[in-house]
Every structure is written in structure tokens, then in C-alpha cells.
Amino acid sequence: MKLAYRNRRGGFIATVAAVLALPTGGGLLLWPHGDDIHITSMDDSKAVVISRCVPTLRGTGTPPKGHHLWITVEFLDKAGDNRVIFVREATVRNGGWLADQLNVGGAGHVGNTYTLTVVDVDASTHTMLTTAVIDMYKTSTKTQPAGTDLWRFSSHGYPTGAQPRDEVSVSRGTDQRSCAEISTGQKPTP
């Protein structure tokens, strides 16, 4: 009788393990998905110090059909609340993605910490972002002090149609130039 119970218990454990390994959402729970989205241009296992302008953020993976990848910058505001700024849509091709000219924080934020996140965005959220995000960095407009620039779409969290997929924590170094200032050839602020 005890042997029959042990065999049933072993069978139950094997059944649970098999159910956990069933394909869900296009891949197996226990193994990486072929379309996993990761940041590859920065190694989060070490302290990552960046300039105000990140020239390019790269990664691997492809979003599901009809979805888009966006890069966000997360930080704590003066009140200690989490802020999420949608900075730029990434360009996806050949199993990888990249986003150029990402401004992280404003002038004078030396030592502040941020999280750069690649986000899988569904079609309706993408439409909202493309009409709400203002990009001042590819224009010849001079970068203004904080509070004067036109700012990007910002919220305390992610909208329902936006799923964070990978992130890297960074801290700001001493180069205070925005991407617009770098493209016009201004020298770093000492």
C-alpha cells in the first residue's frame, strides 16, 4: 500500500512539473524565449556611469506583431514618487533594436540614479505615445533650463498597454551636455 502511494505522489509531482513546462505565450516557462527582449549595450552587473546624453542604447529581441518597443527613463521625483518618462521609440530590425540620442535627466543632476527600461507597447498605447511625446532633441532649438523645455509624456507608472521587458540602472556622470548640445559641438561643462 505504501509503495502505491509513493508512486502516485511521484506521478503527481511529475504531472505538476510537466504542466509548468507547457508552452504559454509562445514559449516555455522554464527556458528563455527566442524573442526575449534584452538591453545588451550596458552591463547592469557593474556600476554604470553615463553622460547626460546616451548616444545609443542597443538590445536583442523582437516584440509581438503589432507591438512596438519604447525606451523609458525612471527616477524618483523631489517628492520621492516614481516617475516614468517615455523618451523614444526604438528601431527594431533583424532580431535586435536600438534607440539613439537618449537624454537622461537634466543639467546639474551629477550622481543622480536612473533606470533605463525597454518597454513592449501595444498598438493603442503606441498611438497615444506618438501623439503625446514631444521630441526636442532632433531640432536646432537650444536646450532650455529645467521647467522651460517642452517635456515628454510622464506618469507615476506604466499604462496598461506597456510592459517593461528589461532594465539597467545607471548614474549620471559629470558631462552635462544634452544630445542637442553635443550635436552642435558644445564643449563639456567643467
Side-chain angles (χ1 to χ4, degrees), residues 52-177:
R52 180 178 177 190
C53 176
V54 174
T56 301
L57 188 67
R58 284 184 164 73
T60 58
T62 306
K65 187 174 178 138
H67 286 222
H68 300 263
L69 295 180
W70 278 77
I71 307 303
T72 64
V73 175
E74 294 181 57
F75 60 96
L76 296 178
D77 64 17
K78 290 178 183 176
D81 296 322
N82 189 57
R83 299 301 302 175
V84 175
I85 296 179
F86 284 81
V87 178
R88 170 162 332 286
E89 181 182 3
T91 302
V92 178
R93 69 172 69 102
N94 300 327
W97 56 268
L98 68 87
D100 290 328
Q101 296 190 350
L102 306 171
N103 283 307
V104 180
H109 294 181
V110 174
N112 286 11
T113 57
Y114 299 89
T115 302
L116 303 179
T117 306
V118 59
V119 182
D120 177 346
V121 174
D122 67 18
S124 59
T125 304
H126 172 72
T127 301
M128 181 274 299
L129 289 171
T130 56
T131 59
V133 174
I134 299 168
D135 185 1
M136 292 293 291
Y137 299 113
K138 289 190 176 181
T139 70
S140 59
T141 304
K142 183 179 179 213
T143 300
Q144 302 296 315
T148 307
D149 265 338
L150 293 172
W151 296 101
R152 292 176 158 79
F153 176 79
S154 170
S155 63
H156 288 290
Y158 288 97
T160 329
Q163 300 299 317
R165 297 296 299 270
D166 197 16
E167 63 185 34
V168 61
S169 296
V170 299
S171 61
R172 274 278 302 280
T174 57
D175 190 344
Q176 300 298 305
R177 296 174 300 164

Side-chain angles (χ1 to χ4, degrees), residues 22-38 61 165:
L22 285 175
T24 58
L28 297 177
L29 290 174
L30 302 177
W31 291 276
H33 303 151
D35 63 346
D36 275 347
I37 298 167
H38 296 286
R165 297 296 299 270

